[in-house]
Amino acid sequence: MKNKNQWRRAFLMVGFLLLPLISRAEKTQISAGQVFRETLKNGLRVIVVYDPLAPVATSVVNYEVGSDEAPAGFPGTAHATEHMMFRGSPGVSADQLAEIGADVGGRLNADTQQNLTQYFYTVPSQYLDTVLHIEALRMRAISAKKSSWDKERGAIEQEVSRDLSDPNYVFYMKLLKTLFKGTPYEHDALGTRPSFDKTSADMLRKFHNDWYGPNNAVLVITGDVNPSKTLKTVRRLFGKISQVQMPKRPDFNFSPVKPSLKNMDTDSSYGMVAVVFRLPGSDSPDYAAAQILSDALSNPRGPLYELQVKGDALFAGFYYEGLPKAGMGFAIAGFPKGANSKKLLKKINAVLKKELSKGIDPDFIAAAKRREVASAEFQKNSIEGLAMEWSQAVAGEGRQSPDEDIEAIKKVTPEDVARVAKKYIDFDHSASTILTPQPSGKPISGKGFGGQESFASSSVKAVPLPLWARKAVESLKIPPLTLHPIVSVLPNGIHLIVEPEAISPTVSVSGQILSNPDTEAVPGKEGVERVLGELFPYGSKNLNRIAFQKALDDIAADENAGTRFFLNVLSSHFEEGVKLLAENELSPALPKHDFKIIRGEVADELVGELQSPDHLTWRGVDKALYPKTDPILRQATPKTVKALSLNDVKQYYHKVFRPDMATIVVIGQVDPEEAKTVIERYFGSWKAVGPKPNIDYPTVPLNHFSKINVPDSSRLQDQVILAQTVGMTRLSPDYYALNLGNKILGGAFYASRLSLDLRKKTGLAYSVWSEWDAGRTRSRYQIVYGSDPDKVSKARTLALNDILAMQKKEVSAQELRQGKILLLRSIPLKEASFGAVASRWLYLSSFGLSLDEPERAAKIYVHLKAKDVSRAFSQWLRPEDMVEVVEGPAPK
């Protein structure tokens, strides 16, 4: 913590911060998690939660309006208004919003629910002032010009096509209609294409004017900010915004649920059966007991999970989604293609009825309560997660704080759970659904789909910014790393990384064992790693499955073993948790009886998986890119899995699970020496035998152009992957120029070339992104987007032209600067949660890179020139050779 404060004082001295962080004197008076709140005279409720985990802040503006308030016949009005909030307001244009969003370099997005619309930014703390300026202007008004809505309509209709191409989403929509018919809950916020075709910009402006006011909003800010100065800024920016006169909110008159059985097809590799009940909403005094009921029914020691253990289901559990006025409870189980779904549905019903008859195990109820309390502590380990937790509690549920939910949870008794179960798990008023997997057609190769059209590529032009935004983004400085982990290598070769953090009374342990089943599995034993992975939840040699899960429940720990392993545990149970993790990781039970069941389940899963459109799509990409004999094309089949013996699994385990291939990261409220002592105590006996295995793929020749269409009758929208192999690696010097160029091409919301051309200007796609998969021995580059079949070719042409333009002409100074900003600003963002920190360190360790690589890379990025980007793109990218794989209807 001392080093962290030194860095921050250094920032302050050079005038880098616009919203000063807390001085040393103030820090002695403010503790992590301390809450500051105020209600402005115009009704805006403001909550600031101090979280010094990283020099990052998250702001969430929660408007208490959603699809519930949408006009009759226009279910997506709230959703469309959310989209238009990014199309400009008086005082900040759409282009300025896009540029400012890129300049602050954070994460921004929005979400529309039934009762809530949220706008969130996560940015380096010094840019919170800039974000608050934006949100204040957008609260006052939106431009909602007809020309802007005409373009955004295309993007939102692509979003509708995408979601309606997902059978699971269609399943959810049907459940809403069944449980909540005749109420605002009978539809979600997505909207429909016909209604958007009839929606006008004036309607969206009116919706904003009716509902978007300070007296209908909650502003939540979390992170490393100065609370008193932040509140002062909020008063200055939001204090004079007028209240709105809101229309009357809709009434909710629920009719009894009529029993029904619906059958649907799915393009998933497996099927699902579900029994759904209407449960209480968050407004109900029964809400806390319903949460505990749901958690208890899903306990891995319980009878629902037992369906999976016995081989009756691929998975099984109970899930609960609470809306304010009512909620949904789901008992769900998965089955392989060809299985008897109706028989499984009867078993789920029988399990639930038996549980209601004998009562929920009090130990499961106690475990659920402990886990809910612990989960609230784990949420504090993410600045963004903390903001969303407060937003949900206050704006979504009408609480004073998340603690109100936890206190209600603590008061739940077994009698409460029994009463709620009897009242709401009512089979006479339930709905059942069966989703049956259907095979895809065979992939179709061809020379091309649709006609080629000529479209000019866009480049980001400099946009004059408001004074308040110019001040915020005028500097391009390298933010220093604020974490200073203690790194050591244990005698058995484990790389240990420890970072003490006192943000919550918890500890997170994350680890990885470098491995690659494509190079390590014995030929003919493909799928062995999947079977092994499914066996880890069955406990250790000392504790069987039930006893092991009981031990985790007793300390409210989340644990998972395998080549990627983790443990989230309260600090007071750190050693107990590590002991359980080590037992599971180093001495897995691997029971013979359960092995046979799991082997059969994996083989059955593969029957559907190998025919599923998603598998065929990505398999098509791999086959188009790599030689026929490449290890990446090895795949498990029902035959290879059924041929596996338990000895095969054990041999693979002993070959792969080695301490000299392992890295463990410990973050949280723990002394570094204690952490090292505990890890060494329980992992120190782990020994490696023989030479290290080869985990690297071979180098490959460059691919050539080809096109494939994978038919998928369930999709309305095509998913398109454009990909190519690249003859460089993560450790190549040109990696940095290529990564910078990729940020310019596809790395900024609305401000990248791909977003400008495929979404903002043409509405050809809702989402589009480009990414490097830079490996140790080879790499690949891909662009992914979703479009209607008649728009696939146009979008592809634009995307490839964007690459060609970056090769032929140097990017503009503005684009170069924005790309650098995105990369530099990401440094503190990746320190804003325990999970992000651990993921980055494990990634760096896998390449043998030092943990200060982000800072070293930043120095390289700062000095790169436009010509470096063009040269790298010209040398390594071949747009004419990018394969095109389309999942869905054949492009027109």
Side-chain angles (χ1 to χ4, degrees), residues 347-403:
K347 288 185 176 182
I348 288 181
N349 285 326
V351 166
L352 291 176
K353 289 177 180 178
K354 185 175 180 180
E355 285 296 283
L356 289 179
S357 175
K358 71 180 184 64
I360 307 298
D361 190 328
D363 188 49
F364 293 174
I365 293 173
K369 292 172 65 177
R370 284 193 297 271
R371 287 189 174 277
E372 288 286 351
V373 173
S375 177
E377 296 295 340
F378 296 145
Q379 280 286 84
K380 298 175 182 177
N381 299 334
S382 165
I383 290 174
E384 194 171 276
L386 185 62
M388 299 311 294
E389 181 182 35
W390 271 87
S391 294
Q392 178 60 30
V394 178
E397 298 176 3
R399 316 293 185 211
Q400 288 299 307
S401 76
D403 290 343

Side-chain angles (χ1 to χ4, degrees), residues 79 142 318-319 357 496 566 605 622 686 833:
H79 184 199
I142 55 173
F318 197 93
Y319 305 92
S357 175
L496 177 63
F566 72 83
E605 284 180 43
D622 287 343
W686 192 11
S833 72

